[in-house]
Amino acid sequence: MCKGLATLPATCMKSAKDIKHKIGFLLHKPEVPPDKEQIKEKTNIAKRVSPADVEKWKLSFNNLMNSEAGRTVFTTFLKAEFSQENLEFWKACEKYKMSAPKNMAGKAKQIYDQYIAADALNEVNLDSATREETRQNLSNAGPFCFDNAQQKIFTLMEKDSYRRFLYSKLIQDLSPLPTTTTQLSALEKRGGMRGCSESGGA
């Protein structure tokens, strides 16, 4: 062992070995073909979605998020990317806002522990300042407890996952027209968050 590695604390060496083992496992993990449930889910989506719906979703992320069918399709895409926790957190925040005031403190703690706390089971990607602000909001949990964190995740999905979603095989299979660079340029110009209200319409 080189002298530099020998001087590292034992905890660092253990972490490095754990990472090495995980990388080795992923490299040797065989690709799993789509199972029957995934195929069935995509088939059901295709039956419920019209080409007009898809073209509307391609115009803006808000159109997608304000559509129940759109969120369902987007969830399917996020699951394939192993990043569905972002949308799940967004939906949990929307549901939280409709809670009775007497139940908000308990539900806020559950959402924080599941999505925001360090090493949370479904941890979302938030900066430390937003995490701390949200943690402090728990002491006086109200309807706006997660507003800043929810907006950050909305914007993250809009600028990242949504862009890939527009070019995904899933959305191309549902749309008769390909996504154009003009559409993406328009999205870049609009940018930002338009709102967080959940709607049941398509």
Side-chain angles (χ1 to χ4, degrees):
M1 183 183 293
C2 74
K3 186 176 179 181
L5 291 176
T7 59
L8 289 174
T11 53
C12 291
M13 294 297 294
K14 183 179 184 302
S15 297
K17 288 179 180 178
D18 290 342
I19 292 172
K20 181 179 178 181
H21 289 159
K22 289 177 180 178
I23 293 174
F25 171 77
L26 291 173
L27 289 175
H28 292 88
K29 185 178 179 181
E31 290 189 9
V32 180
D35 58 27
K36 292 182 179 179
E37 285 300 317
Q38 288 178 315
I39 295 173
K40 182 179 179 181
E41 184 176 16
K42 289 183 179 180
T43 302
N44 289 337
I45 288 172
K47 290 179 180 178
R48 296 197 306 266
V49 174
S50 70
D53 291 333
V54 178
E55 292 309 306
K56 186 177 179 181
W57 303 339
K58 288 161 69 174
L59 292 176
S60 77
F61 188 52
N62 273 286
N63 288 347
L64 176 71
M65 293 292 279
N66 287 330
S67 163
E68 184 177 353
R71 292 192 302 273
T72 299
V73 175
F74 192 45
T75 297
T76 300
F77 170 76
L78 293 176
K79 284 180 178 178
E81 287 205 329
F82 302 100
S83 60
Q84 66 267 29
E85 69 277 356
N86 291 324
L87 185 54
E88 289 173 354
F89 170 68
W90 185 90
K91 291 193 291 187
C93 291
E94 290 294 286
K95 187 175 180 180
Y96 166 79
K97 294 174 186 177
M98 297 184 287
S99 302
K102 64 179 182 180
N103 298 329
M104 282 189 162
K107 290 186 177 181
K109 182 67 165 58
Q110 290 176 359
I111 293 173
Y112 181 86
D113 288 344
Q114 184 173 354
Y115 297 104
I116 300 179
D119 300 321
L121 181 62
N122 304 115
E123 186 178 355
V124 294
N125 188 12
L126 290 170
D127 59 90
S128 57
T130 303
R131 288 180 189 278
E132 178 57 22
E133 174 191 302
T134 307
R135 187 190 67 79
Q136 292 181 10
N137 288 344
L138 296 180
S139 61
N140 187 25
F144 311 110
C145 181
F146 296 101
D147 273 12
N148 192 23
Q150 185 185 15
Q151 178 170 346
K152 292 286 180 69
I153 294 302
F154 183 99
T155 302
L156 176 65
M157 290 191 292
E158 181 179 32
K159 292 183 176 180
D160 186 28
S161 302
Y162 176 57
R163 298 297 196 273
R164 294 193 300 277
F165 171 74
L166 292 178
Y167 280 116
S168 69
K169 187 176 186 304
L170 175 60
I171 200 70
Q172 299 301 334
D173 287 347
L174 293 173
S175 173
L177 301 174
T179 302
T180 66
T181 53
T182 302
Q183 287 174 311
L184 288 183
S185 296
L187 289 171
E188 289 287 353
K189 290 179 180 178
R190 284 197 292 268
M193 181 181 182
R194 306 295 186 275
C196 282
S197 295
E198 188 167 352
S199 169

